[in-house]
Amino acid sequence: MTNTPAQTKKVGVDVSHGNWVLDEAANNKPVNEYLAPPEISVMPRIFRLKSIRHVETGHRKVQCTALIFHECATIKVRWTVCHMDCRLKVGELVSPRWHGITECDTDGAIIISRLVLMGRPEPSENLFQTIPRGWVKNRALVCQAATLVEALPTSYRQLFNAIFWDGQRFKKFCIVPSSMKGHHMEDNGNLRHAVDVAKMMWQHSHARGNSDAALCILAGLLHDAGKAEEYVLHHSGEWRLSDRGKLLGHKITVIEWIASAMARNKIMLPEAHYMALLHCLTSSANAPDYLGIRRPAMIEAHLLSSMDRMSGTEDLMARHKGNGVGWGAYHAHLKGKPYMLGQELL
């Protein structure tokens, strides 16, 4: 059904002095649409596409309706085009382009000029503010992750965004567990573990002042990120190892992602910082010499190793503490049963 004057209503003012959008295909001539009309200028510019559908309206036109999400606003938008943009997939990042006059359809959908796929990573965007509630129900966890990213310098955030700009990869990073039978084994466990490790490293850095706080955050968030491709959801509802997980593992995967992001995007990351990040993610104090894996040579690398173990141990002990007093349940990774004190001293 097409929109007629009787079916739409104006919900703003006439935008006669908005920011023009340039049409690159027309030699950078402005087209009749805007990045942000003044009456909705407080809205985010980039959203996560939650759903999209389209119907033919006749006269070789297609009417598209989409639900787009940002932590600040979830809105329904509608536009009419001659050809549907097949690149618009659920989970990807998009940006609405607005008409000069903001109108609303009878079902509450805002009439826009079109919806644009955001193909290039933008360092200013905080991806954790675009996580739909269907991905992560624990919004406090999402808020903690967003706060950590806000503390990153531009070059680190640009690298993080370049790695996770792909919607499907970012979704898997958020929803997969951190293990199948160990710590943080529930849905969203990998995200919870990453935030926990990054937060502990950040707090230690501020308390002691002997490490780079930004590197601590980035290494903490990325250290198990490759598990997004290490686990797959079986039709039985159980998480299982993928072929990549069996053959390569998450450490190689995240290094591939970092190298690819650096090669494809103009990320202004000094070589020393690049090597420091890779050192934190790959070094190991206990690896045999013949493997060629370097021992930790930076305090941040030692911090990552210790906080990684601490986060996993805390989760396992909390999960197996029983009624909270005395001995809990046995777990192989703990090599025994956790013990909890009872009453506090007076």
Side-chain angles (χ1 to χ4, degrees):
M1 180 178 65
T2 56
N3 294 314
T4 65
Q7 295 170 322
T8 61
K9 58 180 180 180
K10 298 178 182 178
V11 294
V13 297
D14 187 2
V15 186
S16 57
H17 302 288
N19 296 322
W20 286 106
V21 175
L22 297 179
D23 187 352
E24 296 180 358
N27 298 321
N28 287 335
K29 295 179 180 179
V31 297
N32 190 24
E33 57 186 31
Y34 299 81
L35 285 171
E39 72 271 21
I40 55 173
S41 60
V42 295
M43 270 195 185
R45 189 171 67 88
I46 297 179
F47 293 79
R48 183 78 59 184
L49 182 58
K50 287 188 64 177
S51 66
I52 186 170
R53 59 182 178 85
H54 60 278
V55 294
E56 295 184 2
T57 62
H59 306 289
R60 297 181 179 179
K61 297 287 186 178
V62 178
Q63 186 185 77
C64 307
T65 304
L67 191 64
I68 55 179
F69 173 86
H70 188 280
E71 197 68 34
C72 299
T74 302
I75 59 176
K76 182 192 289 187
V77 292
R78 181 168 294 142
W79 69 103
T80 302
V81 291
C82 295
H83 301 285
M84 177 69 182
D85 188 349
C86 61
R87 300 173 303 165
L88 294 174
K89 304 290 185 182
V90 172
E92 298 301 331
L93 294 170
V94 295
S95 180
R97 296 293 182 260
W98 309 88
H99 284 301
I101 299 176
T102 306
E103 296 177 328
C104 186
D105 214 336
T106 54
D107 63 350
I110 299 177
I111 308 302
I112 63 174
S113 174
R114 57 184 172 136
L115 200 61
V116 177
L117 176 70
M118 303 302 293
R120 296 184 62 83
E122 297 194 10
S124 61
E125 187 65 26
N126 191 325
L127 294 182
F128 288 107
Q129 292 182 336
T130 67
I131 296 179
R133 286 165 175 78
W135 293 10
V136 184
K137 293 182 174 60
N138 185 349
R139 305 315 289 181
L141 174 63
V142 173
C143 181
Q144 291 174 20
T147 300
L148 289 169
V149 169
E150 288 294 334
L152 292 177
T154 300
S155 56
Y156 280 5
R157 189 191 290 201
Q158 186 181 12
L159 175 59
F160 184 88
N161 285 1
I163 293 171
F164 289 116
W165 201 254
D166 177 83
Q168 293 307 307
R169 176 185 291 177
F170 190 52
K171 179 180 180 180
K172 286 189 285 187
F173 168 71
C174 293
I175 68 173
V176 299
S178 190
S179 66
M180 292 184 291
K181 296 182 180 179
H183 66 87
H184 299 87
M185 58 182 289
E186 76 283 359
D187 291 353
N188 307 129
N190 195 46
L191 176 61
R192 189 163 68 88
H193 175 57
V195 170
D196 193 27
V197 172
K199 185 169 62 174
M200 287 194 294
M201 291 179 67
W202 187 29
Q203 291 170 344
H204 186 281
S205 176
H206 279 286
R208 303 298 291 270
N210 60 354
S211 57
D212 187 284
L215 179 59
C216 286
I217 293 173
L218 187 59
L221 290 176
L222 292 180
H223 81 283
D224 276 352
K227 289 183 178 180
E229 296 294 342
E230 192 166 34
Y231 300 126
V232 291
L233 191 60
H234 193 256
H235 60 76
S236 64
E238 297 180 347
W239 291 101
R240 297 186 179 180
L241 278 177
S242 64
D243 289 342
R244 171 172 280 269
K246 294 175 183 177
L247 295 172
L248 302 179
H250 62 278
K251 288 186 177 293
I252 290 180
T253 297
V254 73
I255 298 303
E256 283 185 356
W257 290 352
I258 293 172
S260 176
M262 291 289 293
R264 298 177 61 182
N265 301 273
K266 296 180 180 179
I267 299 175
M268 304 302 293
L269 186 64
E271 181 71 11
H273 287 258
Y274 178 66
M275 289 192 297
L277 175 62
L278 297 188
H279 175 74
C280 289
L281 297 177
T282 60
S283 61
S284 174
N286 300 315
D289 291 339
Y290 65 82
L291 291 180
I293 297 176
R294 299 299 181 257
R295 296 181 182 277
M298 301 176 62
I299 188 64
E300 294 85 358
H302 283 285
L303 271 177
L304 177 59
S305 178
S306 59
M307 296 307 180
D308 185 16
R309 290 195 304 271
M310 176 60 70
S311 175
T313 300
E314 284 183 339
D315 183 72
L316 282 174
M317 295 191 77
R319 197 183 296 268
H320 293 83
K321 66 181 181 179
N323 60 8
V325 179
W327 294 102
Y330 173 87
H331 193 280
H333 293 178
L334 294 174
K335 296 182 173 60
K337 300 178 181 180
Y339 183 83
M340 300 292 172
L341 286 174
Q343 295 180 342
E344 297 181 359
L345 291 176
L346 299 178

